[in-house]
Amino acid sequence: MSPARLGKVFISYRRSESAWAARALFERLRQELGDRVFIDPEGDLEGCAVMLAVIGPTWLGEIRPWLDDDGEPDRVRSELVRALQRGIPVVPVQVDGAVLPHRDALPQDLKNLCLRDGMALQAACFDDHVALLVREVRELLSGRARPAPVPVPAPGPAVVRSLPDWMHDEGADQIGRWCEFKVGGVVQRMRWIEPGAFWMGSPLNKAERQSNELRHRVVLTKGFWLADTACTQALWQAVVGTNPSHFRGDPQLPVERVSWNDITGVFLPKLHALVPGLDLELPSEAQWEYACRAGTTTPFSFGLQVTSEQVNFDGNYPYNGGEKSQYRERTVPVKSLPANPWGLHEMHGNVWEWCADQFRAYPPGEETDPVVHQDHHGTRLRVLRGGSWIDYGRYCRCANRDASVPDDRYPYFGFRLARAPSDP
């Protein structure tokens, strides 16, 4: 079958700020996908199956002059609008530290651009990021990727929407419901996790399991909001005013070197003072594993195995004899790696995530809404989940458990926020 029949990949960019990235991306994609990759489509979208929109740090400012202009249309904006209107998947590719604008900052005909996860393309990790992008493009071309978002309808009569005071925005996409809160200029998205039941822990015959993973049934009777990423350095800085992290250079890196006491005793009280009614907390251990599994029963939400294309871990030591892959030796920015089926990024690897619970042995029977704040058995240990950039593959499994004293701080300890459970 010819490349034309398989579908073309177009790269759209602004020469004024992102030409270098577009050209480098074009050359690499040509190596991987051949002559089905095109740059400078010049308005002709014939045969386009995927469009990559290269977005630089001044991209939004570049399009503003055309928002209400009756003169000559902007070529790049015109390409993106026509691709979105035709249902062509448009993948934002963020370069030079660019941040994808919020939907409210975009004109009506470009709002759907923000419904598909963007891909950060950084010079220091260019090869790794391109490999992830190639994988996503291949999935889109093959039809295995998530369907394109539903187009935003044309504006109708104004509808007054009442949001809770703590909520910046809300909506729904092909995954489910989401909401956002905002501190200063930092926006954090959260995903609605429906109530349900699952098998927590791991079977006795599971490879490389630990003895503390007794498999048992857990029922969660109420849904909850869970951040779609670990807390970033940008959010911590906006709330606390300092940055304790060891790895720096990008505000979207997860904050680390934070203790359980730092989070519950400093960060959360300051956050609630800034955004009254927000009522955030650390997830319970059961909530965390339920969300990490995202309806799956395999060792990882991605299946029986993972590589560094999916999880940031020490790829020299894969799980259960798997294929070796890259060891980055540091954290990566949030949303650098694929989300699980419920839209949650880096639940495996990158940083260990503190949970609310005191560490304990699992009971043999079924539990309902378990959370152990204090069991008076003498231990001070608090639960950590997910593994990190420094860990072997087995420590990044859904069922793997770890714990530390609540005042420990290491460059692989972070956290993710939850909102108290509520009725569905």
Side-chain angles (χ1 to χ4, degrees):
M1 185 177 292
S2 68
R5 291 185 63 191
L6 287 170
K8 300 176 182 177
V9 179
F10 285 172
I11 300 174
S12 181
Y13 71 102
R14 291 191 178 281
R15 293 176 178 84
S16 58
E17 68 164 1
S18 51
W20 75 268
R23 286 292 170 184
L25 184 60
F26 172 71
E27 292 172 4
R28 283 299 311 278
L29 290 180
R30 275 270 172 152
Q31 295 174 15
E32 300 285 343
L33 301 172
D35 59 3
R36 67 199 300 178
V37 183
F38 296 84
I39 196 168
D40 286 331
E42 296 292 339
D44 180 14
L45 300 184
E46 185 64 31
C48 179
V50 178
M51 179 173 283
L52 305 180
V54 181
I55 295 175
T58 63
W59 185 85
L60 183 57
E62 291 273 347
I63 71 166
R64 286 193 187 280
W66 287 277
L67 299 190
D68 300 305
D69 189 2
D70 295 328
E72 188 69 19
D74 172 35
R75 177 186 62 82
V76 172
R77 177 182 173 185
S78 177
E79 290 169 357
L80 297 179
V81 168
R82 287 188 296 111
L84 291 168
Q85 288 174 341
R86 296 184 188 185
I88 297 171
V90 179
V91 180
V93 181
Q94 299 144 236
V95 300
D96 294 330
V99 177
L100 190 62
H102 190 272
R103 289 182 72 233
D104 292 345
L106 291 172
Q108 183 70 25
D109 51 11
L110 285 179
K111 288 187 183 297
N112 275 345
L113 184 66
C114 291
L115 293 185
R116 189 175 294 279
D117 287 339
M119 170 72 70
L121 193 64
Q122 297 174 336
C125 306
F126 187 82
D127 289 344
D128 297 329
H129 291 173
V130 170
L132 294 173
L133 185 59
V134 167
R135 176 178 175 175
E136 181 172 356
V137 169
R138 287 189 188 277
E139 290 181 346
L140 288 167
L141 291 172
S142 68
R144 294 195 302 269
R146 294 178 298 178
V150 177
V152 176
V159 177
V160 177
R161 190 175 52 156
S162 178
L163 295 176
D165 291 341
W166 63 268
M167 193 180 290
H168 171 64
D169 197 5
E170 67 172 347
D173 55 21
Q174 61 271 30
I175 296 174
R177 292 168 56 193
W178 56 265
C179 74
E180 293 172 342
F181 68 88
K182 186 175 183 180
V183 181
V186 180
V187 175
Q188 174 67 63
R189 175 164 289 197
M190 306 188 79
R191 289 282 178 182
W192 175 250
I193 309 300
E194 296 282 353
F198 73 110
W199 285 100
M200 190 172 183
S202 62
L204 291 174
N205 62 353
K206 189 63 67 176
E208 300 192 45
R209 75 184 296 272
Q210 297 189 95
S211 60
N212 61 21
E213 298 172 13
L214 178 67
R215 195 166 188 245
H216 63 296
R217 189 75 168 168
V218 171
V219 178
L220 300 179
T221 62
K222 295 182 178 181
F224 57 98
W225 292 105
L226 186 66
D228 69 348
T229 70
C231 178
T232 62
Q233 294 177 22
L235 181 57
W236 184 278
Q237 182 91 34
V239 173
V240 181
T242 59
N243 184 0
S245 304
H246 174 73
F247 298 109
R248 302 193 186 188
D250 186 331
Q252 293 305 301
L253 287 167
V255 69
E256 20 86 4
R257 287 207 311 191
V258 290
S259 70
W260 192 91
N261 287 337
D262 293 334
I263 299 162
T264 60
V266 179
F267 177 83
L268 287 176
K270 288 190 174 184
L271 177 59
H272 294 151
L274 292 169
V275 189
L278 190 53
D279 294 334
L280 295 184
E281 58 188 15
L282 290 173
S284 72
E285 185 176 17
Q287 288 173 335
W288 192 97
E289 184 171 329
Y290 178 63
C292 179
R293 291 187 176 280
T296 67
T297 57
T298 45
F300 307 92
S301 62
F302 301 109
L304 296 174
Q305 276 290 354
V306 290
T307 70
S308 296
E309 290 187 357
Q310 300 157 306
V311 175
N312 185 24
F313 73 113
D314 186 347
N316 295 310
Y317 299 93
Y319 169 69
N320 194 28
E323 175 189 353
K324 288 188 177 182
S325 56
Q326 182 185 12
Y327 177 30
R328 297 181 178 90
E329 302 184 64
R330 61 164 297 149
T331 56
V332 298
V334 300
K335 295 192 177 181
S336 295
L337 301 173
N340 75 7
W342 290 355
L344 306 169
H345 291 265
E346 290 94 35
M347 293 291 285
H348 305 285
N350 214 23
V351 289
W352 286 97
E353 298 182 6
W354 288 105
C355 293
D357 300 62
Q358 192 170 27
F359 191 79
R360 49 124 188 194
Y362 287 157
E366 181 175 294
E367 291 188 290
T368 299
D369 299 323
V371 57
V372 180
H373 293 294
Q374 183 73 33
D375 66 3
H376 305 292
H377 287 297
T379 180
R380 296 179 57 227
L381 299 177
R382 293 287 171 173
V383 172
L384 287 154
R385 285 303 208 106
S388 76
W389 60 270
I390 202 172
D391 288 297
Y392 297 0
R394 66 175 178 266
Y395 297 115
C396 300
R397 294 175 299 113
C398 296
N400 187 77
R401 310 175 71 202
D402 204 349
S404 194
V405 295
D407 52 0
D408 273 352
R409 303 180 184 90
Y410 294 103
Y412 35 83
F413 282 6
F415 68 102
R416 137 180 355 237
L417 293 163
R419 194 163 192 270
S422 58
D423 292 325

